[in-house]
Amino acid sequence: MKHYITVILLVALLTVLVGTGLSNMTLMPQLASIQGTFIDQLFHKHIWAISFLFSLIVGFMLYSIVVFRRREDDEYGDHFEGNTPLEIVWTILPLATVLYFAYLGAIALAETRRADPNAYNVTAVGQQWSWRFDYTDYGFSSDELRLPANRQTLILTKSLDVIHSFWIPEFRVKQDALPGEGMERELRLTPTKTGTFKVRCAELCGTRHAYMLADVIVMEPDAFDQWVQEKLQGPGGSAEERGAEWYQQFGCVACHTTDGSPLVGPSWKGLYGEEVTLADGSVVVADEAYLRESILDPQAKIVQGFENVVMPPIGQSMTPEQIDDVIAFIKSLGTGE
Ligand code: CUA
């Protein structure tokens, strides 16, 4: 009996030490959304559960190693086999714990999906290797995700090519972006802190997966409304200037440089009017018709050396005017020698 009391006290002490230690370590980035609070509450309970389990195992083990170590003149201990009450206890307790955490998990899941009827809508489109955000309530798109603080946004995720995953660590919640018609998935975000965060892609999706980031800017509602007004007016200026904006917004920048260095796709510098060798050995001139076709139907003519990359059909998300602007932007980057 004396041994049991000592070991229970030892386990309790270890649990408090390990649990307090883990709770005070900065294991997570700052919390910046309402949905995240439920995840963190769950995480907090898990921390205490694993602290207890760790202490239970290590406490018993250390105590036994020290107190019941073999001494010089010891004989072997009694042989015994099985202990029915103990086996019942260690079946029922873990089962009850797992069921309890499943219950907590179901509640947390329901809370993160709680719908606000006043939520406004953004479609997050993933493609290799960038994000685009379509503000469907307003009819414009952006390469950065701007959100008003303390208001719910319903994010619909989708993909133009392979599976990506939309994840803002400070908001805790995550959702896959799947390709295909009707495969959109929902994610609700209510940011609680203004500031700049990052959307990361949390699904390995190819060469530049690690660079598939976008800024998330949480703003005061007034500042957000002002930004919406600016976006509604569209980028002004010349066709080249607008083209440069679309180059960012539609994610062309993820694969095509404007300085001549090769990335995943051919650089746009000096591309216009250049003679391009295709995968089948034929040569075409990069004129307007060729550029337009490559934007609308990227697989029609594959440039030699780029056989292994599949460009998403981004042109199908663009208006004909936007494609004209992008071609004007490519022209402005110089012509082939
Ligand atoms: Cu998209 Cu990883």
Side-chain angles (χ1 to χ4, degrees), residues 8-290:
I8 286 167
L9 289 176
L10 181 66
V11 169
L13 180 68
L14 266 178
T15 305
V16 171
L17 286 178
V18 175
T20 312
L22 284 178
S23 302
N24 287 323
M25 276 165 73
T26 313
L27 296 171
M28 307 266 246
Q30 67 160 316
L31 174 65
S33 82
I34 290 198
Q35 288 76 15
T37 54
F38 305 105
I39 307 288
D40 278 15
Q41 285 165 9
L42 205 54
F43 195 78
H44 180 75
K45 292 192 176 88
H46 271 113
I47 287 279
W48 282 99
I50 60 171
S51 300
F52 170 70
L53 276 179
F54 174 85
S55 307
L56 185 68
I57 294 163
V58 172
F60 263 92
M61 191 178 74
L62 285 180
Y63 189 82
S64 306
I65 287 174
V66 175
V67 177
F68 301 114
R69 68 186 182 278
R70 187 174 181 195
R71 296 186 174 80
E72 289 279 315
D73 50 353
D74 263 5
E75 301 197 346
Y76 287 109
D78 294 339
H79 179 81
F80 69 92
E81 214 175 296
N83 184 326
T84 309
L86 193 59
E87 282 169 22
I88 290 172
V89 168
W90 79 37
T91 303
I92 295 202
L93 273 188
L95 183 68
T97 310
V98 168
L99 288 176
Y100 175 61
F101 271 96
Y103 166 73
L104 292 179
I107 289 180
L109 184 64
E111 287 293 348
T112 60
R113 298 169 64 137
R114 185 181 288 281
D116 178 344
N118 294 319
Y120 81 104
N121 301 283
V122 175
T123 303
V125 186
Q127 68 190 39
Q128 288 171 320
W129 287 275
S130 63
W131 294 102
R132 188 183 81 236
F133 306 101
D134 294 342
Y135 285 74
T136 43
D137 292 340
Y138 304 109
F140 64 78
S141 299
S142 169
D143 59 337
E144 55 190 17
L145 178 62
R146 295 208 180 217
L147 302 170
N150 300 313
R151 183 174 163 192
Q152 192 180 82
T153 305
L154 172 57
I155 308 263
L156 273 189
T157 59
K158 65 178 189 180
S159 164
L160 295 183
D161 37 44
V162 299
I163 301 176
H164 304 279
S165 185
F166 178 98
W167 181 41
I168 305 167
E170 290 82 0
F171 293 3
R172 304 292 189 264
V173 284
K174 192 193 313 187
Q175 183 59 274
D176 278 358
L178 306 171
E181 212 49 55
M183 297 299 280
E184 290 83 5
R185 290 291 178 271
E186 289 186 353
L187 185 67
R188 291 178 186 275
L189 299 176
T190 313
T192 50
K193 287 200 173 96
T194 55
T196 303
F197 309 99
K198 286 268 186 226
V199 181
R200 290 161 200 284
C201 177
E203 184 73 53
L204 185 59
C205 58
T207 320
R208 291 182 61 78
H209 157 72
Y211 300 93
M212 195 170 159
L213 305 168
D215 280 336
V216 182
I217 301 163
V218 179
M219 312 170 82
E220 295 296 348
D222 288 350
F224 176 77
D225 291 339
Q226 202 180 337
W227 176 76
V228 167
Q229 291 309 320
E230 281 165 24
K231 288 296 282 187
L232 281 173
Q233 281 159 18
S238 61
E240 290 115 77
E241 283 163 0
R242 291 195 303 271
E245 173 80 18
W246 309 137
Y247 164 75
Q248 297 283 340
Q249 185 169 303
F250 287 96
C252 315
V253 60
C255 302
H256 301 280
T257 67
T258 55
D259 63 1
S261 59
L263 202 56
V264 179
S267 177
W268 285 1
K269 187 183 181 180
L271 173 63
Y272 186 75
E274 198 183 33
E275 292 193 335
V276 178
T277 309
L278 301 181
D280 63 6
S282 61
V283 175
V284 293
V285 174
D287 54 12
E288 276 196 29
Y290 165 83

